[in-house]
Amino acid sequence: MSNKYTHRSGIVKIIFLAVGVIFVLRLSMLQLFDKEYKEKAKNQSLRNITQYPARGLMYDRNGNLLVYNEAVYDLMVIPRMVKDLDTAAFCRSVGITREEFLARMEKAYTYSPYSASIFMKQISKEDFGRWENVLYKFKGFYISKRTLRIYDRPIAAHVLGYVGEVNEHDLETNPYYKRGDYIGKSGLEASYEEELRGVKGKKIMQVDVHNREIGPYMHGQMDTMAVEGMNLYTTIDADLQEYAEKVMANKRGCIVAIEPSTGEVLTLLSAPCYDPNLLVGRIRGENFKKLNSDISKPLFNRALQAQYPPGSIFKVAQAMIALHLGVITPQTGFVCDKVIGCHNHPSARSVQEAIKMSCNPYFYYTYRRVIQQGKFKNIYKDSQYGLTVWHDYMTRFGFGYRLPIDLPNVKKGNIPDTAFYNKWYGRERWAFTTIYSNSIGQGEVEVVPLQMANLACIVANRGYFYTPHLVRFYGPDSIRPPEFYEKHETGIEKEYFDIAARGMYDVVHGAGGTAHKANIPDIDVCGKTGTAENYGNDHSVFIAFAPKDNPKIAVAVYVENAQGGGGTWAAPIASLIIEKYIRGEVKRKDVEKYYTEINPCQKLPLTRRVKKPRKR
């Protein structure tokens, strides 16, 4: 009898032992190996709070603040911690509908049930103040602080850029960012993202059963401090930028102004302009849609992305190349005939006169000598050789490739080469007579306004340029990007650029010049007009630098569909920019008032208008 019960007791002991082992193993699995349980446990008692660093500030060249930060708050949610929620009360407290609540919770669950994500972003200080004392009632929700960009003056939107929430591409290509983070989307905000953003920190807080913070975890030993972003000190003159935007307020086009001796961009604007504060905060999305659908394209940066025919400003570069190659001399003259549309002036007897009068036939014959140098008896081979030489020198002027300015999405324009025409017409199927429109800045030639301003810098410097740039230095150590201090030589003799400078001086000041409206008393302005054909009315083009000797500013102005030519619209506008920068004020108030208030641009949408070549 006793043996029988002894056997049964052994079985019971084994069962109890097995159950105990199972409980121990399961507990070990939950506590040591099961990540889901571990995360749930941590999320019940600990809160990981990302410490967002203050983004670096931006200043203009004179130390004026352009961009700063303002505190805002994000309402965060950990979906699995949301329990026993009075949805109606919560929605009333934060000012949303039940449908909005459900949609946001679904998005949060999709991201992660256990990790925090943004439920409502960029809450104002006023809303934060109202919610702070009631949020503890709603388990799973808490407030995270971050900063919002504020643009001190409503200027330079295309230069400064804007910040937006990361997208899927950002998350896939850069592990630094997490969903809900912000990143520079355009302008300097994008180009200097790594310098501006700083380094995120982490704060781990213990919370009680009511989801209220009760203190730092392990006395803060696991926390990391956020590192503020570096400040940018830009080349922009804020007062000049604001003035230029005022002048171009009711026009389409762009202005680029550069300090020739350094390549520092003083002003860069695309008109129509917009207030960069429109793309800040919770209203950003709605404002972006309005700007993006505007027929005048305010988001399009014409200064860097528009590829225009340069018109007659191109003649300056043509003359310098021809002189250097020896196919003409400074005293070479050509009869002003009707071969390409003369406009009633005497025949130019020198390069200087040709630049002053913007003589189309003169540059037709000059370009022909560059393209057909007589190196080969076969006219097609000779033209290919000449075009190759011409193309090489045009690239030395900064044309045909993307000038590496410190802004994104820069276009390169087009300087056609032999491959371009061989593809278009076929090998040995084209010669000078096929491509002569290039001689006066039409045909297949396209340039970006930044390149036009750079051409003015080259003449101002008498043969070289520095890469245009928008940041002088950044950070506490005043880091200066070395690539912006490299001199780029054209390889053309200084004496020829002296001729160009005298010709451009005569354009503004000489009898028969095409830009008398750019004349500023007591300032020696050197300029070149252009009238570029396109759809609708012609574009008005002007490049200039001043003073003639020891230049302080070089500028390019492009006014779209402004009938009347470069001397009528672009030249006087450029003169206002020059006077404002050199004198600090514009004394010609009548000129300022007229060109600020008038809108010469043809209304949109445009219709195509075909015409014979006419460049001036």
Side-chain angles (χ1 to χ4, degrees), residues 184-202:
K185 292 290 186 178
S186 68
L188 294 176
E189 295 280 18
S191 295
Y192 289 88
E193 167 64 15
E194 291 188 12
E195 290 78 13
L196 287 167
R197 74 187 181 192
V199 179
K200 289 184 288 189
K202 183 176 67 173

Side-chain angles (χ1 to χ4, degrees), residues 188 191-192 195 232-235 258-265 402-408 410 450 454 461 464-474 479-488:
L188 294 176
S191 295
Y192 289 88
E195 290 78 13
L232 294 188
Y233 298 86
T234 75
T235 65
I258 303 174
E259 183 178 67
S261 60
T262 62
E264 294 180 356
V265 177
R402 295 174 182 86
L403 282 175
I405 189 173
D406 44 354
L407 284 179
V410 182
L450 175 67
N454 193 54
N461 292 331
Y464 66 88
F465 70 94
Y466 293 96
T467 299
H469 54 283
L470 284 147
V471 171
R472 297 178 113 180
F473 55 89
Y474 57 83
I479 299 170
R480 297 175 182 269
E483 62 271 22
F484 298 141
Y485 298 90
E486 179 185 353
K487 183 186 289 188
H488 303 280

Side-chain angles (χ1 to χ4, degrees), residues 27 30 63 125 140 158 293 301 320 451 474 537 590 597:
L27 187 61
L30 289 173
K125 290 182 289 186
H158 295 94
S293 61
N301 190 344
M320 297 301 96
Q451 296 170 330
Y474 57 83
N537 289 344
D590 55 335
E597 294 179 354

Side-chain angles (χ1 to χ4, degrees), residues 96-325:
I96 61 174
T97 65
R98 177 179 173 79
E99 290 72 22
E100 289 175 314
F101 170 83
L102 294 175
R104 294 180 189 211
M105 285 300 297
E106 182 179 359
K107 184 177 179 180
Y109 261 108
T110 302
Y111 172 64
S112 172
Y114 304 106
S115 299
S117 60
I118 296 177
F119 183 84
M120 186 179 294
K121 60 186 178 182
Q122 296 175 3
I123 299 164
S124 67
K125 290 182 289 186
E126 292 75 18
D127 285 340
F128 171 69
R130 289 196 301 270
W131 301 354
E132 189 175 16
N133 295 322
V134 298
L135 276 179
Y136 76 91
K137 300 177 182 178
F138 308 113
K139 289 184 178 181
F141 293 92
Y142 68 94
I143 290 289
S144 176
K145 182 180 177 181
R146 69 164 75 224
T147 58
L148 194 68
R149 294 301 252 180
I150 302 296
Y151 301 90
D152 193 58
R153 297 161 77 169
I155 60 171
H158 295 94
V159 172
L160 302 175
Y162 63 90
V163 174
E165 191 171 344
V166 294
N167 55 31
E168 293 301 324
H169 175 74
D170 298 323
L171 295 172
E172 291 171 4
T173 56
N174 197 325
Y176 174 84
Y177 299 100
K178 305 299 180 186
R179 194 174 301 276
D181 285 354
Y182 285 79
I183 189 173
K185 292 290 186 178
S186 68
L188 294 176
E189 295 280 18
S191 295
Y192 289 88
E193 167 64 15
E194 291 188 12
E195 290 78 13
L196 287 167
R197 74 187 181 192
V199 179
K200 289 184 288 189
K202 183 176 67 173
K203 187 177 182 181
I204 306 175
M205 298 296 292
Q206 296 183 88
V207 296
D208 61 16
V209 293
H210 297 293
N211 200 34
R212 292 176 295 197
E213 294 181 358
I214 57 176
Y217 175 63
M218 294 181 63
H219 305 290
Q221 294 179 27
M222 304 297 291
D223 296 350
T224 58
M225 294 290 293
V227 179
E228 290 186 358
M230 299 181 191
N231 295 337
L232 294 188
Y233 298 86
T234 75
T235 65
I236 289 293
D237 185 311
D239 292 337
L240 186 66
Q241 179 79 25
E242 187 171 46
Y243 182 79
E245 294 191 13
K246 173 185 172 184
V247 173
M248 293 291 287
N250 53 353
K251 304 169 183 67
R252 295 189 309 275
C254 55
I255 297 176
V256 181
I258 303 174
E259 183 178 67
S261 60
T262 62
E264 294 180 356
V265 177
L266 305 170
T267 288
L268 188 149
L269 71 90
S270 175
C273 310
Y274 64 93
D275 183 349
N277 289 297
L278 290 174
L279 298 182
V280 170
R282 295 167 68 180
I283 59 172
R284 174 188 168 274
E286 181 180 344
N287 287 336
F288 184 88
K289 289 179 181 178
K290 291 179 181 178
L291 291 169
N292 196 42
S293 61
D294 190 328
I295 193 172
S296 62
K297 299 183 178 180
L299 293 176
F300 179 61
N301 190 344
R302 290 165 164 85
L304 303 182
Q305 296 175 293
Q307 300 180 110
Y308 298 110
S312 290
I313 67 169
F314 205 58
K315 294 172 181 176
V316 176
Q318 300 279 35
M320 297 301 96
I321 294 170
L323 285 168
H324 176 73
L325 294 176

